[in-house]
Amino acid sequence: MHSSLNPAVLRDLRAPRPYPAVSLAMPTHRTQPDNAQDPVRLDNLVREAVRQLDVDPAVTRERRDDVVAELKAAVAELDLAYVRDGLVIFAAPGEHQAWVVDRTVPERVVLADTFLTRNLVAADAAQRPYWVLAVAADRITLWDGRGERVTEHTGHGFPQSRSLERPDSERKERVGDLPSTFHSEETRQFFRDADTALAAVLRAAPRPLHITGDPAALALFTDAGSAAHDAVQVPVGGLAQATPETVARAVGPARAEEAERGIADALAALERARGGNTYAAGVDEVWEKASDGRIHLLVVEEHYRTTVRAGDGHLQPAADDDVDAVHDIVDEIVESALETGAQVDFVPDGTLADAGHVAAVLRF
């Protein structure tokens, strides 16, 4: 199962596939007794996907059998005991993937020549991805943070490590010529190498950065390079060898403070936009501006979802069982905004009650 989205993975998912590329999405449950229904609902959804493949005249029998086999392989690899709030399965000739997300998704089956990625994109944005760099004199690790979870990043040369033992250390101790760990040129070079690797990561996937370590390590790392100059410093040592849970707890207070500042900044930006012609509110108006690429900042309540029908350039409310309705219009707005370079901020439910639960600052 996959859970970490990055630009390279997203580009691959959005690439055209031989028809039919099947996207299957369903809400899931983390706890009992609600999660008992998940296997049954998944089985029913796979049956619906097979039915659509069977009745589609554009799908040959060979292609149908290939995609059905991939769907069943994806389901067989799942462990529904470890799902979260949503499940997305992709299957196409010769390939399959299953994604678990920390955001509910509407139940649906889509056959197309590309995979449906908007639910993954919106879930990823809602988690506010961040990096955590844990610095020590002999080891530097990088952590991929999404919400309350962190996992170790093992690309771009991370983790980096070295031995602190020097062959001639005893002789230098006798003559008083042994530099301290954080004053040695070896440590400075070690940190410079890590700074270069970190800069490559931030270019590939720009995110807020937290850097942890003893105060001496933090001072030397920021002095040795430039990649971490704008990072939030968390002066806690020992995290380069720590568990993911320990790293997440250590940066939790700093992340909470950042989130509060981010909410205040987003609301202040919306208030300033009200005074001019750079403000939009409500799902219909914001959807229109997102489609036109006019959004600079999109602000959405965390759990806001609505079902609509699109027609004549406007959205109309629709029932959840309307087969022609769009059930994930908010995720579609988020994806459109991100694709055109907008910033997307999620705020607590009820924060934008007077704005229809979604609002935006416009570029023009």
PDB file of all heavy atoms in Angstrom, residues 46 53 71 91-92 125 146 161 173 253 296 320 334 339:
ATOM      1  N   VAL A  46     -15.439  -3.702  -6.442  1.00  0.00           N
ATOM      2  CA  VAL A  46     -14.698  -4.438  -7.467  1.00  0.00           C
ATOM      3  C   VAL A  46     -15.671  -5.111  -8.438  1.00  0.00           C
ATOM      4  O   VAL A  46     -15.456  -5.113  -9.660  1.00  0.00           O
ATOM      5  CB  VAL A  46     -13.770  -5.478  -6.814  1.00  0.00           C
ATOM      6  CG1 VAL A  46     -13.169  -6.403  -7.875  1.00  0.00           C
ATOM      7  CG2 VAL A  46     -12.658  -4.782  -6.039  1.00  0.00           C
ATOM      8  N   LEU A  53     -16.510  -2.991 -16.971  1.00  0.00           N
ATOM      9  CA  LEU A  53     -15.588  -3.507 -17.981  1.00  0.00           C
ATOM     10  C   LEU A  53     -16.311  -4.467 -18.928  1.00  0.00           C
ATOM     11  O   LEU A  53     -16.076  -4.455 -20.147  1.00  0.00           O
ATOM     12  CB  LEU A  53     -14.415  -4.219 -17.305  1.00  0.00           C
ATOM     13  CG  LEU A  53     -13.413  -3.343 -16.564  1.00  0.00           C
ATOM     14  CD1 LEU A  53     -12.490  -4.199 -15.706  1.00  0.00           C
ATOM     15  CD2 LEU A  53     -12.597  -2.493 -17.526  1.00  0.00           C
ATOM     16  N   LEU A  71      -6.787  -5.734 -10.768  1.00  0.00           N
ATOM     17  CA  LEU A  71      -7.653  -5.298  -9.678  1.00  0.00           C
ATOM     18  C   LEU A  71      -7.621  -6.308  -8.525  1.00  0.00           C
ATOM     19  O   LEU A  71      -7.475  -5.938  -7.354  1.00  0.00           O
ATOM     20  CB  LEU A  71      -9.087  -5.150 -10.181  1.00  0.00           C
ATOM     21  CG  LEU A  71      -9.555  -3.786 -10.672  1.00  0.00           C
ATOM     22  CD1 LEU A  71     -10.983  -3.895 -11.217  1.00  0.00           C
ATOM     23  CD2 LEU A  71      -9.480  -2.750  -9.569  1.00  0.00           C
ATOM     24  N   ALA A  91      -5.852   0.425 -11.433  1.00  0.00           N
ATOM     25  CA  ALA A  91      -5.524  -0.786 -12.183  1.00  0.00           C
ATOM     26  C   ALA A  91      -5.605  -0.478 -13.667  1.00  0.00           C
ATOM     27  O   ALA A  91      -6.560   0.147 -14.141  1.00  0.00           O
ATOM     28  CB  ALA A  91      -6.473  -1.925 -11.833  1.00  0.00           C
ATOM     29  N   ALA A  92      -4.597  -0.900 -14.387  1.00  0.00           N
ATOM     30  CA  ALA A  92      -4.541  -0.733 -15.838  1.00  0.00           C
ATOM     31  C   ALA A  92      -3.813  -1.953 -16.386  1.00  0.00           C
ATOM     32  O   ALA A  92      -3.248  -2.743 -15.618  1.00  0.00           O
ATOM     33  CB  ALA A  92      -3.828   0.564 -16.214  1.00  0.00           C
ATOM     34  N   ALA A 125      -2.515  17.434   0.345  1.00  0.00           N
ATOM     35  CA  ALA A 125      -2.481  18.849   0.714  1.00  0.00           C
ATOM     36  C   ALA A 125      -3.044  19.056   2.120  1.00  0.00           C
ATOM     37  O   ALA A 125      -2.536  19.878   2.891  1.00  0.00           O
ATOM     38  CB  ALA A 125      -3.267  19.674  -0.298  1.00  0.00           C
ATOM     39  N   ARG A 146       3.825  13.838   7.326  1.00  0.00           N
ATOM     40  CA  ARG A 146       2.480  14.105   6.799  1.00  0.00           C
ATOM     41  C   ARG A 146       1.514  14.012   7.978  1.00  0.00           C
ATOM     42  O   ARG A 146       1.229  12.923   8.447  1.00  0.00           O
ATOM     43  CB  ARG A 146       2.116  13.098   5.706  1.00  0.00           C
ATOM     44  CG  ARG A 146       3.016  13.219   4.481  1.00  0.00           C
ATOM     45  CD  ARG A 146       2.884  12.042   3.531  1.00  0.00           C
ATOM     46  NE  ARG A 146       3.933  12.105   2.534  1.00  0.00           N
ATOM     47  CZ  ARG A 146       3.844  12.766   1.376  1.00  0.00           C
ATOM     48  NH1 ARG A 146       2.741  13.407   1.076  1.00  0.00           N
ATOM     49  NH2 ARG A 146       4.856  12.785   0.526  1.00  0.00           N
ATOM     50  N   SER A 161      25.958   8.869   7.346  1.00  0.00           N
ATOM     51  CA  SER A 161      26.603   8.516   8.611  1.00  0.00           C
ATOM     52  C   SER A 161      28.115   8.459   8.420  1.00  0.00           C
ATOM     53  O   SER A 161      28.613   8.350   7.295  1.00  0.00           O
ATOM     54  CB  SER A 161      26.085   7.168   9.135  1.00  0.00           C
ATOM     55  OG  SER A 161      26.346   6.141   8.194  1.00  0.00           O
ATOM     56  N   GLU A 173      45.429  13.436  21.628  1.00  0.00           N
ATOM     57  CA  GLU A 173      45.012  13.736  22.988  1.00  0.00           C
ATOM     58  C   GLU A 173      46.214  14.031  23.873  1.00  0.00           C
ATOM     59  O   GLU A 173      46.197  14.922  24.718  1.00  0.00           O
ATOM     60  CB  GLU A 173      44.215  12.568  23.567  1.00  0.00           C
ATOM     61  CG  GLU A 173      42.767  12.532  23.095  1.00  0.00           C
ATOM     62  CD  GLU A 173      42.020  11.374  23.712  1.00  0.00           C
ATOM     63  OE1 GLU A 173      42.691  10.482  24.274  1.00  0.00           O
ATOM     64  OE2 GLU A 173      40.783  11.363  23.632  1.00  0.00           O
ATOM     65  N   PRO A 253       4.912  20.138  18.932  1.00  0.00           N
ATOM     66  CA  PRO A 253       4.611  21.494  19.399  1.00  0.00           C
ATOM     67  C   PRO A 253       4.952  22.578  18.373  1.00  0.00           C
ATOM     68  O   PRO A 253       4.194  23.536  18.199  1.00  0.00           O
ATOM     69  CB  PRO A 253       5.494  21.623  20.655  1.00  0.00           C
ATOM     70  CG  PRO A 253       5.665  20.214  21.132  1.00  0.00           C
ATOM     71  CD  PRO A 253       5.755  19.389  19.881  1.00  0.00           C
ATOM     72  N   HIS A 296      -4.928  32.580  -6.118  1.00  0.00           N
ATOM     73  CA  HIS A 296      -3.606  32.734  -5.497  1.00  0.00           C
ATOM     74  C   HIS A 296      -3.533  31.953  -4.188  1.00  0.00           C
ATOM     75  O   HIS A 296      -2.554  31.261  -3.918  1.00  0.00           O
ATOM     76  CB  HIS A 296      -3.321  34.210  -5.226  1.00  0.00           C
ATOM     77  CG  HIS A 296      -2.112  34.447  -4.366  1.00  0.00           C
ATOM     78  ND1 HIS A 296      -0.832  34.190  -4.787  1.00  0.00           N
ATOM     79  CD2 HIS A 296      -2.006  34.885  -3.070  1.00  0.00           C
ATOM     80  CE1 HIS A 296       0.024  34.473  -3.826  1.00  0.00           C
ATOM     81  NE2 HIS A 296      -0.656  34.890  -2.775  1.00  0.00           N
ATOM     82  N   ASP A 320     -26.708  12.827  -2.982  1.00  0.00           N
ATOM     83  CA  ASP A 320     -25.565  11.921  -2.968  1.00  0.00           C
ATOM     84  C   ASP A 320     -25.769  10.709  -3.875  1.00  0.00           C
ATOM     85  O   ASP A 320     -24.795  10.124  -4.361  1.00  0.00           O
ATOM     86  CB  ASP A 320     -25.284  11.448  -1.539  1.00  0.00           C
ATOM     87  CG  ASP A 320     -24.670  12.545  -0.684  1.00  0.00           C
ATOM     88  OD1 ASP A 320     -24.078  13.483  -1.257  1.00  0.00           O
ATOM     89  OD2 ASP A 320     -24.791  12.466   0.553  1.00  0.00           O
ATOM     90  N   VAL A 334      -9.313  21.754  -5.154  1.00  0.00           N
ATOM     91  CA  VAL A 334      -7.969  21.748  -4.573  1.00  0.00           C
ATOM     92  C   VAL A 334      -6.937  21.360  -5.623  1.00  0.00           C
ATOM     93  O   VAL A 334      -5.887  22.008  -5.757  1.00  0.00           O
ATOM     94  CB  VAL A 334      -7.913  20.783  -3.373  1.00  0.00           C
ATOM     95  CG1 VAL A 334      -6.466  20.585  -2.913  1.00  0.00           C
ATOM     96  CG2 VAL A 334      -8.759  21.308  -2.219  1.00  0.00           C
ATOM     97  N   GLU A 339      -2.511  22.823  -9.299  1.00  0.00           N
ATOM     98  CA  GLU A 339      -1.932  22.707 -10.638  1.00  0.00           C
ATOM     99  C   GLU A 339      -1.566  24.056 -11.228  1.00  0.00           C
ATOM    100  O   GLU A 339      -0.684  24.146 -12.071  1.00  0.00           O
ATOM    101  CB  GLU A 339      -2.908  21.981 -11.564  1.00  0.00           C
ATOM    102  CG  GLU A 339      -2.954  20.482 -11.361  1.00  0.00           C
ATOM    103  CD  GLU A 339      -3.841  19.803 -12.376  1.00  0.00           C
ATOM    104  OE1 GLU A 339      -4.759  20.465 -12.903  1.00  0.00           O
ATOM    105  OE2 GLU A 339      -3.628  18.605 -12.649  1.00  0.00           O
TER     106      GLU A 339
END
